[in-house]
Amino acid sequence: KQEVTQIPAALSVPEGENLVLNCSFTDSAIYNLQWFRQDPGKGLTSLLLIQSSQREQTSGRLNASLDKSSGRSTLYIAASQPGDSATYLCAVRGQGAQKLVFGQGTRLTINP
Amino acid sequence: SQTIHQWPATLVQPVGSPLSLECTVEGTSNPNLYWYRQAAGRGLQLLFYSVGIGQISSEVPQNLSASRPQDRQFILSSKKLLLSDSGFYLCAWGVSTNTEAFFGQGTRLTVV
């Protein structure tokens, strides 16, 4: 059974810092991994999708990496801003599986 | 461009009452459709998915059911709500199993 863990559960940093969010998964037989952002009381916004054959994906100030063999992904946020404050979720999809298995998320606070 | 709509945004229902949550997707044809529930402390859990009209698969046995009467419409229902049905319900869609998943804004259901 696939399990996804995100550490830390919460993170608070001053504005302008570069930061890394971590995601680990127990079964390396994944098809893809997706990072989401969730604002309080809102739905999920897709940030980046990494296919299992890829090592990283970039979108603006965000960079996500994937090391499938070690069961790890990181989301790098450059030059953080107060508007980046949200909960960040990673999710993996197993090969041939319909469902995304989610981590519990990292609640990020960027202090002005 | 594609958009996903969910309604209502919030709902307070008494125990034993029926439920109907609706989700529609615009700008795409024959999408894969999903219902997830996000409960406090339990993360996101896939409830149902559908790969076509009238085709419903259940991931978790429970008090809920789903239907897909039209290509881009997905409905989550219950005949009699339980207190344990409270949570944040999210509809999602994807072009196929292996592509990016997009989520709606969610429905906050409180059963009292």
Side-chain angles (χ1 to χ4, degrees), chain A residues 31-32 34 36 38 41-49 51 89 93-94 96-104, chain B residues 32 34 36 38 41-46 49 51 59 88 90 96-106 108:
Chain A
Y31 204 93
N32 56 42
Q34 197 166 351
F36 296 90
Q38 186 175 29
K42 302 294 185 182
L44 276 62
T45 300
S46 177
L47 298 174
L48 290 163
L49 171 73
Q51 301 291 354
L89 296 155
R93 194 190 300 276
Q98 281 287 347
K99 71 177 178 182
L100 287 166
V101 179
F102 283 84
Q104 293 283 342
Chain B
N32 287 356
Y34 307 86
Y36 284 83
Q38 188 175 34
R42 295 190 59 186
L44 276 130
Q45 182 183 41
L46 179 65
Y49 68 88
V51 298
E59 284 287 312
F88 192 48
L90 290 153
S96 69
T97 304
N98 309 322
T99 58
E100 194 170 4
F102 299 97
F103 282 75
Q105 287 300 299
R108 173 73 60 190

Side-chain angles (χ1 to χ4, degrees), chain B residues 4-37:
Chain B
I4 180 169
H5 303 281
Q6 260 189 266
W7 65 92
T10 60
L11 194 59
V12 179
Q13 292 284 96
V15 169
S17 64
L19 173 74
S20 181
L21 302 180
E22 190 161 343
C23 170
T24 60
V25 179
E26 296 178 355
T28 187
S29 296
N30 197 33
N32 287 356
L33 295 172
Y34 307 86
W35 280 111
Y36 284 83
R37 178 169 59 199

Side-chain angles (χ1 to χ4, degrees), chain B residues 26-105:
Chain B
E26 296 178 355
T28 187
S29 296
N30 197 33
N32 287 356
L33 295 172
Y34 307 86
W35 280 111
Y36 284 83
R37 178 169 59 199
Q38 188 175 34
R42 295 190 59 186
L44 276 130
Q45 182 183 41
L46 179 65
L47 302 176
F48 300 95
Y49 68 88
S50 171
V51 298
I53 296 174
Q55 301 179 57
I56 308 295
S57 296
S58 173
E59 284 287 312
V60 181
Q62 61 212 316
N63 185 43
L64 302 169
S65 62
S67 61
R68 184 171 178 174
Q70 300 181 40
D71 181 42
R72 289 167 289 179
Q73 184 184 30
F74 206 22
I75 298 173
L76 184 69
S77 304
S78 174
K79 293 182 179 178
K80 292 186 179 181
L81 283 168
L82 306 172
L83 287 174
S84 58
D85 291 323
S86 294
F88 192 48
Y89 289 82
L90 290 153
C91 181
W93 74 275
V95 172
S96 69
T97 304
N98 309 322
T99 58
E100 194 170 4
F102 299 97
F103 282 75
Q105 287 300 299

Side-chain angles (χ1 to χ4, degrees), chain A residues 31-94:
Chain A
Y31 204 93
N32 56 42
L33 182 147
Q34 197 166 351
W35 281 94
F36 296 90
R37 167 189 173 135
Q38 186 175 29
D39 293 292
K42 302 294 185 182
L44 276 62
T45 300
S46 177
L47 298 174
L48 290 163
L49 171 73
I50 309 178
Q51 301 291 354
S52 63
S53 59
Q54 298 175 318
R55 296 285 293 184
E56 66 179 289
Q57 282 284 354
T58 298
S59 176
R61 293 183 294 109
L62 305 180
N63 176 277
S65 68
L66 174 64
D67 185 344
K68 196 173 70 165
S69 61
S70 68
R72 294 184 180 184
S73 176
T74 61
L75 179 66
Y76 175 84
I77 302 176
S80 59
Q81 304 170 358
D84 295 329
S85 298
T87 296
Y88 289 79
L89 296 155
C90 75
V92 299
R93 194 190 300 276

